[in-house]
C-alpha cells in the first residue's frame, strides 16, 4: 500500500508456500522480486532487526507489507547507489 493511503500497489497470494501463514525468508525474497518487476523497491531504511527483509505483518494477520518507493523516489532521497 502507498504510505498514508489504503491504495494497494500489489498483492500476491502466497498461500501455496509450504509453511503458510508463516512468511519464510524465501517468500520475502520472492515478494521483493515481484515488487522490482512492478518498478518498486523496499525502502532501505525499513530493513531493521525487527522486520523480515523490510516486511512486517499487517495488523489483521492476513498478510505482510513493506514500505516501498519507486526507483526515482529512492534516487531523489539520495540513494543513488541502490542496486538490485
Amino acid at each position: 500500500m502507498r504510505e498514508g493511503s489504503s491504495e494497494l500497489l500489489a498483492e500476491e497470494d502466497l498461500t501455496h508456500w509450504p509453511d503458510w501463514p508463516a512468511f519464510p525468508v524465501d517468500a520475502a525474497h520472492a515478494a521483493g522480486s515481484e515488487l522490482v518487476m512492478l518498478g518498486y523497491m523496499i525502502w532501505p531504511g525499513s530493513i531493521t532487526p525487527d522486520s523480515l527483509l523490510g516486511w512486517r505483518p499487517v495488523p489483521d494477520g492476513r498478510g505482510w507489507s513493506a514500505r516501498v518507493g519507486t526507483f526515482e523516489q529512492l534516487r531523489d532521497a539520495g540513494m543513488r547507489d541502490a542496486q538490485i
Side-chain angles (χ1 to χ4, degrees):
M1 294 185 198
R2 290 193 192 280
E3 188 170 351
S5 168
S6 60
E7 179 186 350
L8 190 65
L9 292 175
E11 184 172 25
E12 183 72 27
D13 179 12
L14 296 175
T15 56
H16 63 282
W17 284 91
D19 296 332
W20 183 262
F23 193 53
V25 173
D26 291 348
H29 280 287
S33 295
E34 291 288 328
L35 287 173
V36 169
M37 287 187 256
L38 294 169
Y40 296 93
M41 285 181 58
I42 294 176
W43 202 266
S46 66
I47 300 171
T48 62
D50 64 334
S51 72
L52 177 61
L53 303 174
W55 294 96
R56 300 180 183 283
V58 294
D60 68 4
R62 186 178 158 259
W64 291 70
S65 67
R67 180 179 179 211
V68 300
T70 63
F71 300 124
E72 292 79 20
Q73 289 170 325
L74 290 164
R75 183 193 66 227
D76 293 345
M79 295 173 208
R80 301 190 189 288
D81 295 328
Q83 296 181 6
I84 54 171

